[in-house]
Amino acid sequence: MAEARPEAGRRLTTGGGLSGLWSRVRAEAGFWQGVVYDALRFRRHAWLHRVHSPESRAARILADAHFLEYGMALREARPGFGLARAARLAGDLRDGGLGTEAGQVGLATLRGWADFNRDTALPPGIAPALALTGGEGIAAGVGQAGGAPPATDFLAFAQSRRSVRQFAPGPVREDAIRRAVAAAQAAPSSCNRQTCTAHIWTDRALIDRVRRHQAGNRTFGHELGGIAVITSDLRHWEHAGERYQPWIDGGLFAMSLCHGLHAEGLGTCFLNWSVTPATDRALRAEIGLDDSQLVIVLLGFGRMPDSATVCASPRLPEGAALRLNPPLVN
């Protein structure tokens, strides 16, 4: 007889026979159900063939603007780079994209690119876009960087963070949350599309409604001072090669948010979102999340007590995570 017992939100099944076989069949069916669920949602919202929503157009504006920035930032930058991208960007701006924040960035970038190409014959559709109003005061295009960063021991900072499951009572400062989100916005994103959003609740009743969909926090979630649901907008992605990019960008954003909260003196604990489609749908219905938003992970946080017991979680030696100059295959 198989034995099943709850373990940190998961069920551990042991045993064989018919019950073990049935467990394996259910696991296989659940795997394919999840694959199809994710694939269909990506296909439904990504702009594989054409832009079909304002959000997709805004993402394309940012991607094309970033392509122009990239060309100007090369050591051997050459005039005439990106003519086709510039023409598409100009078309998106003329066709209504200017009314978005992304459009403002796009127009400011297009102006910088046009100035870089002032001695180059430009496609005819660009001049009307340059005549549009907006984008003033936005530092787009290219700038200068260099020198040593502000002095900090990031290794010590990163190693000082632990997953916390004991929190002090009291509200979390809103300015701390805003600063942490600003830090997350500085994370790299594919073609600067900035697809991620942190949906955050700090009201006790709302936290409890959100966290009940995630089983792993059931023993400590009542102490949380806040909970974030981190999402990536599937309308910002273009082709099949980007089918995993929402999770990649979302992971970068989530870790940067976690470090931002840690820098504000708050305790954090990631709440795994490796769930079934049914659980995903239930959370989405609870918080009113649009179908285009892919849930990446949940993050619980709160005020740090004077002393908290945390898991030691020893890390493997550096060699387990590093392959420096490995030989290439002929």
Side-chain angles (χ1 to χ4, degrees):
M1 182 65 128
E3 177 189 356
R5 58 184 183 274
E7 201 167 274
R10 301 178 181 138
R11 297 188 69 82
L12 181 64
T13 302
T14 59
L18 290 178
S19 60
L21 175 63
W22 176 238
S23 294
R24 292 192 292 274
V25 170
R26 289 181 61 187
E28 186 74 15
F31 168 77
W32 288 110
Q33 183 185 36
V35 168
V36 172
Y37 177 72
D38 290 335
L40 289 179
R41 291 185 59 245
F42 183 89
R43 178 63 186 85
R44 189 155 58 242
H45 298 290
W47 40 289
L48 272 67
H49 305 296
R50 62 182 179 85
V51 163
H52 50 76
S53 70
E55 291 78 11
S56 294
R57 185 181 298 280
R60 189 165 77 177
I61 286 172
L62 288 176
D64 285 343
H66 184 68
F67 187 85
L68 301 183
E69 291 179 325
Y70 160 79
M72 292 186 285
L74 295 174
R75 184 182 298 278
E76 302 295 334
R78 56 179 178 80
F81 178 90
L83 293 176
R85 292 291 189 112
R88 186 169 73 173
L89 171 59
D92 280 337
L93 293 173
R94 298 194 315 270
D95 292 343
L98 184 61
T100 64
E101 294 175 348
Q104 299 294 301
V105 171
L107 181 55
T109 305
L110 186 65
R111 287 186 182 133
W113 177 86
D115 183 64
F116 178 79
N117 287 279
R118 53 186 172 276
D119 297 325
T120 303
L122 302 181
I126 291 179
L130 293 174
L132 296 171
T133 301
E136 293 81 7
I138 296 177
V142 292
Q144 296 298 314
T152 183
D153 187 345
F154 184 73
L155 176 60
F157 171 79
Q159 292 179 336
S160 70
R161 189 207 65 82
R162 288 288 186 272
S163 292
V164 177
R165 296 174 179 86
Q166 300 172 18
F167 299 91
V172 176
R173 301 189 335 268
E174 184 175 313
D175 68 302
I177 295 173
R178 293 186 180 279
R179 283 172 55 85
V181 171
Q185 287 180 290
S189 68
S190 177
C191 296
N192 194 38
R193 277 175 277 186
Q194 304 173 63
T195 75
C196 297
T197 301
H199 312 259
I200 296 178
W201 294 267
T202 57
D203 177 85
R204 177 76 267 152
L206 299 180
I207 293 172
D208 288 341
R209 287 179 58 183
V210 174
R211 74 179 184 87
R212 71 186 180 92
H213 298 280
Q214 202 279 339
N217 76 91
R218 66 186 184 279
T219 56
F220 66 90
H222 59 283
E223 295 187 19
L224 293 174
I227 192 168
V229 175
I230 297 164
T231 66
S232 175
D233 193 333
L234 294 175
R235 295 170 295 189
H236 289 198
W237 305 106
E238 180 179 4
H239 54 77
E242 294 183 327
R243 63 193 182 279
Y244 299 123
Q245 199 63 41
W247 281 284
I248 296 170
D249 275 33
L252 293 168
F253 182 93
M255 193 67 241
S256 297
L257 176 62
C258 182
H259 275 146
L261 292 168
H262 179 50
E264 295 295 326
L266 298 169
T268 59
C269 187
F270 276 112
L271 307 175
N272 193 303
W273 197 244
S274 301
V275 297
T276 65
T279 301
D280 188 71
R281 290 190 188 99
L283 173 68
R284 306 174 75 84
E286 183 80 68
I287 66 178
L289 192 64
D290 188 271
D291 185 65
S292 63
Q293 297 293 320
L294 174 70
V295 178
I296 305 298
V297 71
L298 276 61
L299 179 62
F301 59 92
R303 297 174 61 175
M304 283 292 293
D306 293 335
S307 178
T309 301
V310 297
C311 299
S313 300
R315 291 320 196 225
L316 297 174
E318 179 188 274
L322 175 64
R323 296 292 181 270
L324 187 61
N325 294 320
L328 303 181
V329 178
N330 292 330

